[in-house]
Amino acid sequence: MLRSLIALDHSRPSVNPPELDSGALPHASNRVDQGVRAIIAYKSIKACAQLGLAALLLCLWPFGLADRVESAARMLHEHATQMWARQLSGFLLSYVTKRALAFLLLALAVDGGFTAFEAFALRRGYAWAPWLVVLATSLLLPFELFELLKEPHLSRLALLFVNSAIAAYLARSAL
C-alpha cells in the first residue's frame, strides 16, 4: 500500500539505492534485459511442468500408479502394431517399477523446486542469481555431452545447446 502511494507521488525525486539489505536490486524487473526475461520464463514454465507432474504422480500414487502403469504397458504390448508402441511398452515393462516411479517423483519435485528457485532469484534481481544458474546448468553439461555421444539424438543435442547457451549468456551478462 505504501509503495503504491509513493509511486503515485510524482513530486518526490526518485532515488534508487544501488542495493537493498537482502541483496536484491530495487525494481530489478525494470532493468532486466530480454535474454534474462526469456530465461526466467523458460525456468518458470519448466518448474511449473515438473512440479505439476510430480503433484499428479503423488496424487495417483495411493491408487496403485505403478500397478496401473504396468497393466497399461502389458495391454499396449499385447495389442500394439506400431514398432514405437511395442518399444515403449517394452521399456515400461522393463524399467517402470514402484522404486523407479518413486525416484522419478522425487527427482521431478527436487528439480522442479530448484528450477523455481532459480527463476525466483533471477526475477528478484539478486546479484548472485546468474551465477547460481550458470553453476547449476554447467554442472550437468558433461553428463549431457556424454549421453549425446553415447546415443546421439536430436533432442539431446537441442538440450545440450539450450543449456550451454543459457550458461554462456548468463555468465557473460554477469561479468
Side-chain angles (χ1 to χ4, degrees), residues 57-110:
L57 290 175
L58 186 61
C59 289
L60 294 176
W61 191 267
F63 300 106
L65 175 66
D67 297 332
R68 291 185 186 264
V69 169
E70 183 182 352
S71 67
R74 287 192 191 287
M75 187 179 73
L76 180 65
H77 194 71
E78 291 171 4
H79 300 291
T81 58
Q82 299 292 328
M83 185 56 138
W84 68 268
R86 293 191 59 81
Q87 287 178 341
L88 174 65
S89 65
F91 172 80
L92 290 174
L93 287 171
S94 299
Y95 296 107
V96 178
T97 62
K98 286 183 182 181
R99 186 175 181 176
L101 282 175
F103 182 76
L104 174 66
L105 177 88
L106 179 65
L108 279 171
V110 169

Side-chain angles (χ1 to χ4, degrees), residues 108-167:
L108 279 171
V110 169
D111 191 39
F114 189 74
T115 302
F117 178 71
E118 289 175 316
F120 170 77
L122 283 173
R123 175 73 173 96
R124 292 281 302 178
Y126 292 119
W128 47 265
W131 290 112
L132 173 72
V133 177
V134 167
L135 179 68
T137 305
S138 299
L139 285 176
L140 299 177
L141 291 178
F143 297 105
E144 291 174 9
L145 182 61
F146 175 75
E147 288 297 320
L148 178 67
L149 294 175
K150 188 173 92 175
E151 207 172 320
H153 289 289
L154 188 58
S155 61
R156 288 185 177 158
L157 180 64
L159 182 67
L160 179 67
F161 176 75
V162 167
N163 285 335
S164 299
I166 288 172

Side-chain angles (χ1 to χ4, degrees), residues 3 22 31 48-49 83-84 114 136 169-170:
R3 269 193 183 167
S22 65
R31 290 184 277 245
C48 287
M83 185 56 138
W84 68 268
F114 189 74
Y169 181 83
L170 283 176

